[in-house]
Amino acid sequence: MPAARGLPVDAERWPDIVRVPGAPVRAAVAERLVRRALAGLPLRLGLPGRAPEGSPDADTPLLRVHRPGPFFARIGASGLVGFGESYMAGEWDSDDLVGVLTVLASHVGSLVPAPLQRLRGAWALRKPSAQRNTVAGARGNISRHYDLSNDLFALFLDRTMTYSAALFPPDGAPADARSPEGDEPLTVAQHRKIDRLLDLASVGPGTRLLEIGTGWGELALRAARRGAEVVTVTLSREQRELARLRIREAGYEDRVTVLLLDYRQVHGEYDAVVSVEMVEAVGEEFWPVYFRALERLLAPGGRIALQAITMPHERLLASRRTFTWIQKYIFPGGLLPSVTAVEQVLARHTGLRITQDTGFGPHYARTLQLWRERFTERAAEVTDLGFDETFRRMWTFYLAYSEAGFRSGYLDVRQLLLTRGAEGIR
């Protein structure tokens, strides 16, 4: 069955994109709410046969709706989940997708009228129990994203295959500087990020390092080059195989062990623990378990360096039980913490404390922009890998949505140093 604007859709793969909700009353209410909300934003709304509504400034981003009926029906039925699904279906578009989403992210707290926000529990979608991050559930959740295809990720990541925020030069420094080896700026920025985390954890010759969340192995390789003995764990079979290959080709098999293992199943004692953008996949229910595991694995005097995507604490409190588009389609079981939430969990369940905290959200916006541009430029190769147009629109929306979160300041990314409270910083 064709979706909006004639986009071919696999009904078995994308049932909720093919299916348009039949709730005319909710659709009508959604239309009034959306048009009222957008009228007060630096945004224009384009509906078929009408002049754009909203801001009189022609330079403001234009959200162009091609099929108002399905667009408002999806929003009426499932809010922001429906908004994202409508984009996947081709029912709306924009020449400045990041611009539209940045405006919405900047005003996310006021898009829904206050009376309806107080009734959030009655209309917001609930997280499915199947996405709980038990040992078995976490493996399935991770596999849905990271086992898609190593070749897919290679199309838009740099040669390090690093899938987390890069750290670019400070303002005023050359933005396009290459390394002496000729590495591109994104690779240089990824190495700068990794090196800063390894420095934070005091990783050097002889350090027993545990990495939770292997990725494709670049941090483990860089730590091994410093002389560390590395154990790195992942739940992704695809990532493990490529990481092991890269480690073998680099000649570090004697220093790096890659295990297909849940963090709860790791044993031993380590001088340093590093984990990059993995806590977001743990789930709030298991935050105490995760941080207790870190403490259990840390040797006396050891240091834990985390890189984490965070949201403001008030937004976490407002949305923690809501089922989001990102959870449905991109990161099942995920939830971004706030720094306050991390501090509270540490204080209540561990002897660990945050002793350094550095944010660099704008750097993630730039990282995501580069990934999105590469993904767009290589759309034909994405198709050649067997991913259809609905998938490409989904991932375009995901990358743009994430970039907008950091551009608006709704999201941040932070490097945190954790030590036992009584030990302080060495």
Side-chain angles (χ1 to χ4, degrees), residues 217-261:
E218 189 68 16
L219 187 145
L221 280 169
R222 210 142 176 93
R225 291 190 184 101
R226 293 186 175 206
E229 301 293 327
V230 185
V231 172
T232 177
V233 299
T234 178
L235 292 179
S236 167
R237 294 182 183 276
E238 289 277 323
Q239 286 190 328
R240 181 188 62 167
E241 291 311 307
L242 183 52
R244 290 171 69 180
L245 174 62
R246 297 180 72 219
I247 290 161
R248 183 166 61 251
E249 290 179 342
Y252 287 110
E253 280 186 298
D254 61 329
R255 290 189 185 171
V256 182
T257 302
V258 186
L259 301 175
L260 192 69
L261 203 62

mmCIF file of all heavy atoms in Angstrom, residues 217-261:
data_model
loop_
_atom_site.group_PDB
_atom_site.id
_atom_site.type_symbol
_atom_site.label_atom_id
_atom_site.label_comp_id
_atom_site.label_asym_id
_atom_site.label_seq_id
_atom_site.Cartn_x
_atom_site.Cartn_y
_atom_site.Cartn_z
ATOM 1 N N GLY A 217 35.692 0.027 18.601
ATOM 2 C CA GLY A 217 37.015 -0.276 19.108
ATOM 3 C C GLY A 217 38.041 0.834 19.148
ATOM 4 O O GLY A 217 39.167 0.610 19.598
ATOM 5 N N GLU A 218 37.692 2.053 18.738
ATOM 6 C CA GLU A 218 38.726 3.082 18.638
ATOM 7 C C GLU A 218 39.284 3.486 19.992
ATOM 8 O O GLU A 218 40.499 3.683 20.136
ATOM 9 C CB GLU A 218 38.183 4.317 17.911
ATOM 10 C CG GLU A 218 39.239 5.356 17.573
ATOM 11 C CD GLU A 218 40.248 4.901 16.513
ATOM 12 O OE1 GLU A 218 39.974 3.911 15.812
ATOM 13 O OE2 GLU A 218 41.300 5.560 16.383
ATOM 14 N N LEU A 219 38.431 3.625 21.005
ATOM 15 C CA LEU A 219 38.940 4.017 22.319
ATOM 16 C C LEU A 219 39.856 2.923 22.882
ATOM 17 O O LEU A 219 40.917 3.226 23.447
ATOM 18 C CB LEU A 219 37.785 4.309 23.273
ATOM 19 C CG LEU A 219 38.184 4.895 24.632
ATOM 20 C CD1 LEU A 219 37.138 5.890 25.126
ATOM 21 C CD2 LEU A 219 38.388 3.806 25.698
ATOM 22 N N ALA A 220 39.471 1.667 22.718
ATOM 23 C CA ALA A 220 40.314 0.571 23.210
ATOM 24 C C ALA A 220 41.666 0.580 22.511
ATOM 25 O O ALA A 220 42.713 0.373 23.150
ATOM 26 C CB ALA A 220 39.601 -0.758 22.978
ATOM 27 N N LEU A 221 41.663 0.835 21.203
ATOM 28 C CA LEU A 221 42.920 0.908 20.459
ATOM 29 C C LEU A 221 43.801 2.045 20.961
ATOM 30 O O LEU A 221 45.009 1.888 21.149
ATOM 31 C CB LEU A 221 42.627 1.113 18.973
ATOM 32 C CG LEU A 221 42.234 -0.126 18.170
ATOM 33 C CD1 LEU A 221 41.720 0.285 16.795
ATOM 34 C CD2 LEU A 221 43.412 -1.070 18.034
ATOM 35 N N ARG A 222 43.186 3.173 21.199
ATOM 36 C CA ARG A 222 43.955 4.339 21.625
ATOM 37 C C ARG A 222 44.518 4.129 23.036
ATOM 38 O O ARG A 222 45.635 4.567 23.337
ATOM 39 C CB ARG A 222 43.077 5.585 21.567
ATOM 40 C CG ARG A 222 43.859 6.852 21.278
ATOM 41 C CD ARG A 222 43.106 7.786 20.373
ATOM 42 N NE ARG A 222 43.848 9.033 20.202
ATOM 43 C CZ ARG A 222 44.710 9.259 19.202
ATOM 44 N NH1 ARG A 222 44.962 8.332 18.308
ATOM 45 N NH2 ARG A 222 45.332 10.420 19.110
ATOM 46 N N ALA A 223 43.745 3.458 23.883
ATOM 47 C CA ALA A 223 44.237 3.146 25.226
ATOM 48 C C ALA A 223 45.385 2.134 25.162
ATOM 49 O O ALA A 223 46.367 2.245 25.910
ATOM 50 C CB ALA A 223 43.101 2.596 26.078
ATOM 51 N N ALA A 224 45.272 1.148 24.279
ATOM 52 C CA ALA A 224 46.331 0.147 24.134
ATOM 53 C C ALA A 224 47.632 0.803 23.667
ATOM 54 O O ALA A 224 48.724 0.406 24.098
ATOM 55 C CB ALA A 224 45.895 -0.937 23.163
ATOM 56 N N ARG A 225 47.514 1.806 22.810
ATOM 57 C CA ARG A 225 48.716 2.507 22.349
ATOM 58 C C ARG A 225 49.413 3.233 23.501
ATOM 59 O O ARG A 225 50.611 3.499 23.437
ATOM 60 C CB ARG A 225 48.353 3.499 21.234
ATOM 61 C CG ARG A 225 47.937 2.830 19.930
ATOM 62 C CD ARG A 225 47.817 3.824 18.776
ATOM 63 N NE ARG A 225 47.339 3.148 17.580
ATOM 64 C CZ ARG A 225 46.080 3.183 17.145
ATOM 65 N NH1 ARG A 225 45.172 3.889 17.810
ATOM 66 N NH2 ARG A 225 45.727 2.548 16.049
ATOM 67 N N ARG A 226 48.662 3.562 24.535
ATOM 68 C CA ARG A 226 49.255 4.192 25.726
ATOM 69 C C ARG A 226 49.912 3.158 26.651
ATOM 70 O O ARG A 226 50.519 3.524 27.649
ATOM 71 C CB ARG A 226 48.186 4.942 26.522
ATOM 72 C CG ARG A 226 47.594 6.161 25.848
ATOM 73 C CD ARG A 226 46.655 6.879 26.797
ATOM 74 N NE ARG A 226 46.157 8.132 26.213
ATOM 75 C CZ ARG A 226 45.755 9.186 26.921
ATOM 76 N NH1 ARG A 226 45.797 9.135 28.247
ATOM 77 N NH2 ARG A 226 45.318 10.263 26.321
ATOM 78 N N GLY A 227 49.712 1.876 26.347
ATOM 79 C CA GLY A 227 50.281 0.839 27.184
ATOM 80 C C GLY A 227 49.312 0.234 28.171
ATOM 81 O O GLY A 227 49.718 -0.540 29.046
ATOM 82 N N ALA A 228 48.010 0.570 28.061
ATOM 83 C CA ALA A 228 47.011 0.020 28.976
ATOM 84 C C ALA A 228 46.662 -1.418 28.593
ATOM 85 O O ALA A 228 46.808 -1.834 27.439
ATOM 86 C CB ALA A 228 45.754 0.879 28.959
ATOM 87 N N GLU A 229 46.169 -2.167 29.593
ATOM 88 C CA GLU A 229 45.611 -3.500 29.375
ATOM 89 C C GLU A 229 44.092 -3.341 29.412
ATOM 90 O O GLU A 229 43.529 -2.956 30.441
ATOM 91 C CB GLU A 229 46.072 -4.467 30.467
ATOM 92 C CG GLU A 229 47.581 -4.615 30.560
ATOM 93 C CD GLU A 229 48.168 -5.294 29.327
ATOM 94 O OE1 GLU A 229 47.477 -6.160 28.746
ATOM 95 O OE2 GLU A 229 49.315 -4.955 28.960
ATOM 96 N N VAL A 230 43.429 -3.615 28.293
ATOM 97 C CA VAL A 230 42.025 -3.227 28.128
ATOM 98 C C VAL A 230 41.110 -4.437 28.041
ATOM 99 O O VAL A 230 41.370 -5.377 27.272
ATOM 100 C CB VAL A 230 41.848 -2.370 26.850
ATOM 101 C CG1 VAL A 230 40.403 -1.859 26.740
ATOM 102 C CG2 VAL A 230 42.834 -1.205 26.824
ATOM 103 N N VAL A 231 40.042 -4.394 28.818
ATOM 104 C CA VAL A 231 38.898 -5.285 28.631
ATOM 105 C C VAL A 231 37.734 -4.398 28.222
ATOM 106 O O VAL A 231 37.420 -3.421 28.915
ATOM 107 C CB VAL A 231 38.549 -6.054 29.921
ATOM 108 C CG1 VAL A 231 37.239 -6.831 29.746
ATOM 109 C CG2 VAL A 231 39.679 -7.001 30.300
ATOM 110 N N THR A 232 37.127 -4.715 27.102
ATOM 111 C CA THR A 232 36.023 -3.888 26.613
ATOM 112 C C THR A 232 34.834 -4.790 26.306
ATOM 113 O O THR A 232 34.995 -5.875 25.743
ATOM 114 C CB THR A 232 36.440 -3.064 25.375
ATOM 115 O OG1 THR A 232 35.311 -2.312 24.886
ATOM 116 C CG2 THR A 232 36.992 -3.931 24.261
ATOM 117 N N VAL A 233 33.629 -4.366 26.733
ATOM 118 C CA VAL A 233 32.436 -5.209 26.605
ATOM 119 C C VAL A 233 31.383 -4.510 25.765
ATOM 120 O O VAL A 233 31.228 -3.286 25.800
ATOM 121 C CB VAL A 233 31.854 -5.586 27.982
ATOM 122 C CG1 VAL A 233 32.874 -6.372 28.788
ATOM 123 C CG2 VAL A 233 31.389 -4.357 28.759
ATOM 124 N N THR A 234 30.662 -5.314 25.000
ATOM 125 C CA THR A 234 29.596 -4.813 24.141
ATOM 126 C C THR A 234 28.483 -5.849 24.080
ATOM 127 O O THR A 234 28.708 -7.033 24.358
ATOM 128 C CB THR A 234 30.115 -4.529 22.715
ATOM 129 O OG1 THR A 234 29.028 -4.073 21.895
ATOM 130 C CG2 THR A 234 30.705 -5.784 22.072
ATOM 131 N N LEU A 235 27.287 -5.428 23.700
ATOM 132 C CA LEU A 235 26.173 -6.342 23.460
ATOM 133 C C LEU A 235 25.886 -6.498 21.976
ATOM 134 O O LEU A 235 24.973 -7.228 21.596
ATOM 135 C CB LEU A 235 24.914 -5.842 24.180
ATOM 136 C CG LEU A 235 24.947 -5.887 25.707
ATOM 137 C CD1 LEU A 235 23.646 -5.331 26.280
ATOM 138 C CD2 LEU A 235 25.176 -7.306 26.210
ATOM 139 N N SER A 236 26.654 -5.822 21.134
ATOM 140 C CA SER A 236 26.436 -5.867 19.687
ATOM 141 C C SER A 236 27.405 -6.853 19.032
ATOM 142 O O SER A 236 28.622 -6.670 19.081
ATOM 143 C CB SER A 236 26.634 -4.477 19.082
ATOM 144 O OG SER A 236 26.730 -4.557 17.666
ATOM 145 N N ARG A 237 26.867 -7.886 18.405
ATOM 146 C CA ARG A 237 27.716 -8.855 17.710
ATOM 147 C C ARG A 237 28.429 -8.211 16.526
ATOM 148 O O ARG A 237 29.600 -8.497 16.260
ATOM 149 C CB ARG A 237 26.870 -10.043 17.235
ATOM 150 C CG ARG A 237 26.285 -10.860 18.377
ATOM 151 C CD ARG A 237 25.498 -12.058 17.880
ATOM 152 N NE ARG A 237 24.895 -12.772 18.987
ATOM 153 C CZ ARG A 237 25.512 -13.689 19.726
ATOM 154 N NH1 ARG A 237 26.779 -14.010 19.431
ATOM 155 N NH2 ARG A 237 24.905 -14.285 20.724
ATOM 156 N N GLU A 238 27.722 -7.344 15.808
ATOM 157 C CA GLU A 238 28.327 -6.670 14.657
ATOM 158 C C GLU A 238 29.513 -5.813 15.097
ATOM 159 O O GLU A 238 30.581 -5.838 14.483
ATOM 160 C CB GLU A 238 27.279 -5.802 13.951
ATOM 161 C CG GLU A 238 26.215 -6.579 13.200
ATOM 162 C CD GLU A 238 26.669 -6.993 11.808
ATOM 163 O OE1 GLU A 238 27.371 -6.208 11.153
ATOM 164 O OE2 GLU A 238 26.320 -8.117 11.396
ATOM 165 N N GLN A 239 29.321 -5.050 16.151
ATOM 166 C CA GLN A 239 30.407 -4.209 16.639
ATOM 167 C C GLN A 239 31.579 -5.051 17.142
ATOM 168 O O GLN A 239 32.743 -4.735 16.869
ATOM 169 C CB GLN A 239 29.902 -3.294 17.762
ATOM 170 C CG GLN A 239 29.027 -2.154 17.279
ATOM 171 C CD GLN A 239 28.751 -1.157 18.387
ATOM 172 O OE1 GLN A 239 28.669 -1.517 19.555
ATOM 173 N NE2 GLN A 239 28.597 0.104 18.033
ATOM 174 N N ARG A 240 31.277 -6.117 17.858
ATOM 175 C CA ARG A 240 32.355 -6.938 18.391
ATOM 176 C C ARG A 240 33.222 -7.493 17.264
ATOM 177 O O ARG A 240 34.459 -7.461 17.342
ATOM 178 C CB ARG A 240 31.802 -8.096 19.215
ATOM 179 C CG ARG A 240 32.913 -8.969 19.807
ATOM 180 C CD ARG A 240 32.393 -10.227 20.454
ATOM 181 N NE ARG A 240 31.726 -11.093 19.499
ATOM 182 C CZ ARG A 240 31.404 -12.375 19.748
ATOM 183 N NH1 ARG A 240 31.674 -12.909 20.915
ATOM 184 N NH2 ARG A 240 30.779 -13.103 18.844
ATOM 185 N N GLU A 241 32.602 -7.990 16.210
ATOM 186 C CA GLU A 241 33.377 -8.608 15.132
ATOM 187 C C GLU A 241 34.286 -7.592 14.445
ATOM 188 O O GLU A 241 35.456 -7.870 14.175
ATOM 189 C CB GLU A 241 32.431 -9.272 14.125
ATOM 190 C CG GLU A 241 31.712 -10.489 14.671
ATOM 191 C CD GLU A 241 32.649 -11.473 15.351
ATOM 192 O OE1 GLU A 241 33.650 -11.878 14.719
ATOM 193 O OE2 GLU A 241 32.405 -11.810 16.532
ATOM 194 N N LEU A 242 33.756 -6.407 14.152
ATOM 195 C CA LEU A 242 34.594 -5.410 13.487
ATOM 196 C C LEU A 242 35.654 -4.865 14.445
ATOM 197 O O LEU A 242 36.803 -4.631 14.046
ATOM 198 C CB LEU A 242 33.733 -4.263 12.948
ATOM 199 C CG LEU A 242 34.498 -3.183 12.165
ATOM 200 C CD1 LEU A 242 35.356 -3.797 11.055
ATOM 201 C CD2 LEU A 242 33.530 -2.159 11.580
ATOM 202 N N ALA A 243 35.308 -4.672 15.707
ATOM 203 C CA ALA A 243 36.295 -4.192 16.684
ATOM 204 C C ALA A 243 37.445 -5.192 16.815
ATOM 205 O O ALA A 243 38.623 -4.807 16.834
ATOM 206 C CB ALA A 243 35.628 -3.968 18.041
ATOM 207 N N ARG A 244 37.125 -6.468 16.888
ATOM 208 C CA ARG A 244 38.170 -7.489 16.995
ATOM 209 C C ARG A 244 39.067 -7.491 15.763
ATOM 210 O O ARG A 244 40.290 -7.648 15.869
ATOM 211 C CB ARG A 244 37.536 -8.858 17.215
ATOM 212 C CG ARG A 244 36.899 -9.005 18.588
ATOM 213 C CD ARG A 244 36.096 -10.266 18.713
ATOM 214 N NE ARG A 244 36.947 -11.450 18.722
ATOM 215 C CZ ARG A 244 36.475 -12.699 18.815
ATOM 216 N NH1 ARG A 244 35.159 -12.908 18.907
ATOM 217 N NH2 ARG A 244 37.289 -13.716 18.825
ATOM 218 N N LEU A 245 38.469 -7.311 14.590
ATOM 219 C CA LEU A 245 39.250 -7.254 13.356
ATOM 220 C C LEU A 245 40.194 -6.061 13.371
ATOM 221 O O LEU A 245 41.387 -6.183 13.039
ATOM 222 C CB LEU A 245 38.314 -7.177 12.150
ATOM 223 C CG LEU A 245 38.983 -6.973 10.780
ATOM 224 C CD1 LEU A 245 39.895 -8.146 10.442
ATOM 225 C CD2 LEU A 245 37.924 -6.776 9.695
ATOM 226 N N ARG A 246 39.676 -4.893 13.772
ATOM 227 C CA ARG A 246 40.507 -3.694 13.789
ATOM 228 C C ARG A 246 41.646 -3.832 14.807
ATOM 229 O O ARG A 246 42.774 -3.397 14.559
ATOM 230 C CB ARG A 246 39.644 -2.462 14.113
ATOM 231 C CG ARG A 246 38.573 -2.166 13.069
ATOM 232 C CD ARG A 246 37.754 -0.938 13.449
ATOM 233 N NE ARG A 246 38.547 0.266 13.281
ATOM 234 C CZ ARG A 246 38.513 1.305 14.102
ATOM 235 N NH1 ARG A 246 37.737 1.258 15.188
ATOM 236 N NH2 ARG A 246 39.241 2.370 13.868
ATOM 237 N N ILE A 247 41.345 -4.423 15.949
ATOM 238 C CA ILE A 247 42.367 -4.618 16.986
ATOM 239 C C ILE A 247 43.438 -5.589 16.494
ATOM 240 O O ILE A 247 44.640 -5.360 16.693
ATOM 241 C CB ILE A 247 41.700 -5.115 18.281
ATOM 242 C CG1 ILE A 247 40.876 -3.974 18.903
ATOM 243 C CG2 ILE A 247 42.735 -5.633 19.274
ATOM 244 C CD1 ILE A 247 39.838 -4.440 19.899
ATOM 245 N N ARG A 248 43.010 -6.652 15.833
ATOM 246 C CA ARG A 248 43.970 -7.623 15.303
ATOM 247 C C ARG A 248 44.864 -6.984 14.241
ATOM 248 O O ARG A 248 46.089 -7.168 14.244
ATOM 249 C CB ARG A 248 43.223 -8.824 14.726
ATOM 250 C CG ARG A 248 44.147 -9.934 14.215
ATOM 251 C CD ARG A 248 43.384 -11.214 13.969
ATOM 252 N NE ARG A 248 42.331 -11.077 12.963
ATOM 253 C CZ ARG A 248 41.034 -11.092 13.227
ATOM 254 N NH1 ARG A 248 40.596 -11.229 14.465
ATOM 255 N NH2 ARG A 248 40.148 -10.975 12.259
ATOM 256 N N GLU A 249 44.247 -6.217 13.331
ATOM 257 C CA GLU A 249 45.029 -5.579 12.272
ATOM 258 C C GLU A 249 46.007 -4.551 12.831
ATOM 259 O O GLU A 249 47.072 -4.320 12.250
ATOM 260 C CB GLU A 249 44.080 -4.920 11.267
ATOM 261 C CG GLU A 249 43.297 -5.933 10.419
ATOM 262 C CD GLU A 249 42.340 -5.262 9.439
ATOM 263 O OE1 GLU A 249 42.030 -4.056 9.652
ATOM 264 O OE2 GLU A 249 41.905 -5.934 8.488
ATOM 265 N N ALA A 250 45.659 -3.930 13.957
ATOM 266 C CA ALA A 250 46.548 -2.942 14.578
ATOM 267 C C ALA A 250 47.639 -3.591 15.424
ATOM 268 O O ALA A 250 48.565 -2.901 15.877
ATOM 269 C CB ALA A 250 45.732 -1.970 15.423
ATOM 270 N N GLY A 251 47.528 -4.898 15.649
ATOM 271 C CA GLY A 251 48.556 -5.600 16.408
ATOM 272 C C GLY A 251 48.415 -5.496 17.915
ATOM 273 O O GLY A 251 49.417 -5.615 18.642
ATOM 274 N N TYR A 252 47.178 -5.307 18.417
ATOM 275 C CA TYR A 252 46.990 -5.135 19.855
ATOM 276 C C TYR A 252 46.156 -6.249 20.479
ATOM 277 O O TYR A 252 45.574 -6.059 21.557
ATOM 278 C CB TYR A 252 46.338 -3.781 20.143
ATOM 279 C CG TYR A 252 47.282 -2.619 19.945
ATOM 280 C CD1 TYR A 252 47.108 -1.734 18.888
ATOM 281 C CD2 TYR A 252 48.369 -2.422 20.792
ATOM 282 C CE1 TYR A 252 47.975 -0.670 18.693
ATOM 283 C CE2 TYR A 252 49.249 -1.374 20.600
ATOM 284 C CZ TYR A 252 49.044 -0.497 19.551
ATOM 285 O OH TYR A 252 49.918 0.545 19.354
ATOM 286 N N GLU A 253 46.113 -7.406 19.853
ATOM 287 C CA GLU A 253 45.342 -8.511 20.433
ATOM 288 C C GLU A 253 45.851 -8.907 21.810
ATOM 289 O O GLU A 253 45.088 -9.423 22.640
ATOM 290 C CB GLU A 253 45.411 -9.729 19.504
ATOM 291 C CG GLU A 253 44.457 -9.668 18.330
ATOM 292 C CD GLU A 253 44.479 -10.958 17.535
ATOM 293 O OE1 GLU A 253 45.548 -11.298 17.001
ATOM 294 O OE2 GLU A 253 43.424 -11.618 17.467
ATOM 295 N N ASP A 254 47.129 -8.672 22.074
ATOM 296 C CA ASP A 254 47.687 -9.055 23.371
ATOM 297 C C ASP A 254 47.312 -8.076 24.475
ATOM 298 O O ASP A 254 47.475 -8.381 25.662
ATOM 299 C CB ASP A 254 49.213 -9.163 23.271
ATOM 300 C CG ASP A 254 49.872 -7.844 22.870
ATOM 301 O OD1 ASP A 254 49.229 -7.064 22.130
ATOM 302 O OD2 ASP A 254 51.015 -7.596 23.281
ATOM 303 N N ARG A 255 46.793 -6.899 24.103
ATOM 304 C CA ARG A 255 46.457 -5.881 25.115
ATOM 305 C C ARG A 255 44.958 -5.598 25.223
ATOM 306 O O ARG A 255 44.529 -4.942 26.172
ATOM 307 C CB ARG A 255 47.169 -4.561 24.787
ATOM 308 C CG ARG A 255 48.666 -4.611 24.978
ATOM 309 C CD ARG A 255 49.248 -3.228 24.857
ATOM 310 N NE ARG A 255 50.708 -3.260 24.913
ATOM 311 C CZ ARG A 255 51.488 -2.227 24.658
ATOM 312 N NH1 ARG A 255 50.934 -1.057 24.344
ATOM 313 N NH2 ARG A 255 52.797 -2.327 24.725
ATOM 314 N N VAL A 256 44.177 -6.041 24.250
ATOM 315 C CA VAL A 256 42.752 -5.721 24.242
ATOM 316 C C VAL A 256 41.929 -6.997 24.113
ATOM 317 O O VAL A 256 42.129 -7.791 23.191
ATOM 318 C CB VAL A 256 42.385 -4.769 23.079
ATOM 319 C CG1 VAL A 256 40.895 -4.423 23.142
ATOM 320 C CG2 VAL A 256 43.225 -3.504 23.129
ATOM 321 N N THR A 257 41.000 -7.176 25.044
ATOM 322 C CA THR A 257 40.060 -8.297 25.012
ATOM 323 C C THR A 257 38.659 -7.731 24.811
ATOM 324 O O THR A 257 38.218 -6.870 25.583
ATOM 325 C CB THR A 257 40.105 -9.093 26.324
ATOM 326 O OG1 THR A 257 41.435 -9.573 26.536
ATOM 327 C CG2 THR A 257 39.142 -10.264 26.278
ATOM 328 N N VAL A 258 37.971 -8.204 23.784
ATOM 329 C CA VAL A 258 36.609 -7.741 23.480
ATOM 330 C C VAL A 258 35.633 -8.858 23.841
ATOM 331 O O VAL A 258 35.726 -9.962 23.304
ATOM 332 C CB VAL A 258 36.449 -7.373 21.997
ATOM 333 C CG1 VAL A 258 35.057 -6.766 21.758
ATOM 334 C CG2 VAL A 258 37.533 -6.404 21.546
ATOM 335 N N LEU A 259 34.706 -8.554 24.737
ATOM 336 C CA LEU A 259 33.762 -9.563 25.215
ATOM 337 C C LEU A 259 32.332 -9.166 24.861
ATOM 338 O O LEU A 259 31.958 -7.987 24.943
ATOM 339 C CB LEU A 259 33.866 -9.715 26.737
ATOM 340 C CG LEU A 259 35.234 -10.121 27.293
ATOM 341 C CD1 LEU A 259 35.184 -10.114 28.822
ATOM 342 C CD2 LEU A 259 35.647 -11.473 26.759
ATOM 343 N N LEU A 260 31.534 -10.160 24.477
ATOM 344 C CA LEU A 260 30.105 -9.959 24.268
ATOM 345 C C LEU A 260 29.427 -10.206 25.609
ATOM 346 O O LEU A 260 29.098 -11.336 25.966
ATOM 347 C CB LEU A 260 29.587 -10.927 23.197
ATOM 348 C CG LEU A 260 28.184 -10.660 22.661
ATOM 349 C CD1 LEU A 260 28.160 -9.380 21.829
ATOM 350 C CD2 LEU A 260 27.693 -11.831 21.820
ATOM 351 N N LEU A 261 29.261 -9.116 26.371
ATOM 352 C CA LEU A 261 28.895 -9.265 27.780
ATOM 353 C C LEU A 261 28.144 -8.038 28.272
ATOM 354 O O LEU A 261 28.464 -6.905 27.904
ATOM 355 C CB LEU A 261 30.171 -9.449 28.607
ATOM 356 C CG LEU A 261 30.087 -10.131 29.966
ATOM 357 C CD1 LEU A 261 29.600 -11.570 29.828
ATOM 358 C CD2 LEU A 261 31.459 -10.116 30.637
#
